Amino acid sequence: MTPRAVRLSGDIAVALPRLAAAALPREACGLMTGRMDGAVLVLDGLAPSRNLAAGEDAFELDAALHLRLQRMTRAVAAVWHSHPCGDAVPSARDAAGAWDPGLVWLITACLETLAWAPAGEGRGFASVPLEIG
């Protein structure tokens, strides 16, 4: 189910551009934990990941991080990454890599973070309103 909106705590919202800047010139990435509250996805945790991608213009999450979060019974609800040289919108590479249509994607570029719901099977993304607070 695609959430009607995504709610992100102010602390995490402030951390995302900082993590993105610290990773330059590479993309930063991580997983986010959360839960549904009615039709709103509430993201309450951020687990930054090492970027295992070979190039600077891509990201690859550490699969061990995902497994650790699952073992801790934390519900992985979103994928986060940055676009150092672009906009906070999904790229064709992002669409091709959206392996789980149940995970919302957050993308940070400069100081802007936007939320996206993957359509699955490389078919692109739909924008989801992002609420901070």
Side-chain angles (χ1 to χ4, degrees):
M1 173 178 114
T2 299
R4 175 185 54 79
V6 174
R7 186 172 305 131
L8 187 61
S9 76
D11 291 345
I12 295 174
V14 167
L16 297 179
R18 289 181 183 156
L19 289 168
L24 290 172
R26 296 178 52 77
E27 292 189 8
C29 60
L31 295 170
M32 303 181 87
T33 58
R35 61 181 167 69
M36 291 298 293
D37 182 8
V40 175
L41 176 60
V42 179
L43 297 174
D44 57 13
L46 170 64
S49 173
R50 292 181 304 131
N51 183 349
L52 302 177
E56 292 181 354
D57 63 341
F59 79 97
E60 182 180 338
L61 293 163
D62 184 350
L65 173 64
H66 197 170
L67 293 173
R68 278 194 306 276
L69 290 171
Q70 288 177 321
R71 285 188 192 120
M72 294 170 43
T73 67
R74 300 290 298 168
V76 175
V79 172
W80 168 75
H81 75 285
S82 65
H83 283 175
C85 298
D87 297 319
V89 298
S91 66
R93 179 178 285 154
D94 292 338
W99 70 90
D100 185 345
L103 293 178
V104 168
W105 284 46
L106 275 73
I107 302 173
T108 299
C110 295
L111 298 177
E112 180 179 42
T113 299
L114 299 176
W116 303 91
E121 300 178 15
R123 295 188 316 234
F125 291 80
S127 177
V128 179
L130 183 62
E131 302 170 355
I132 307 298

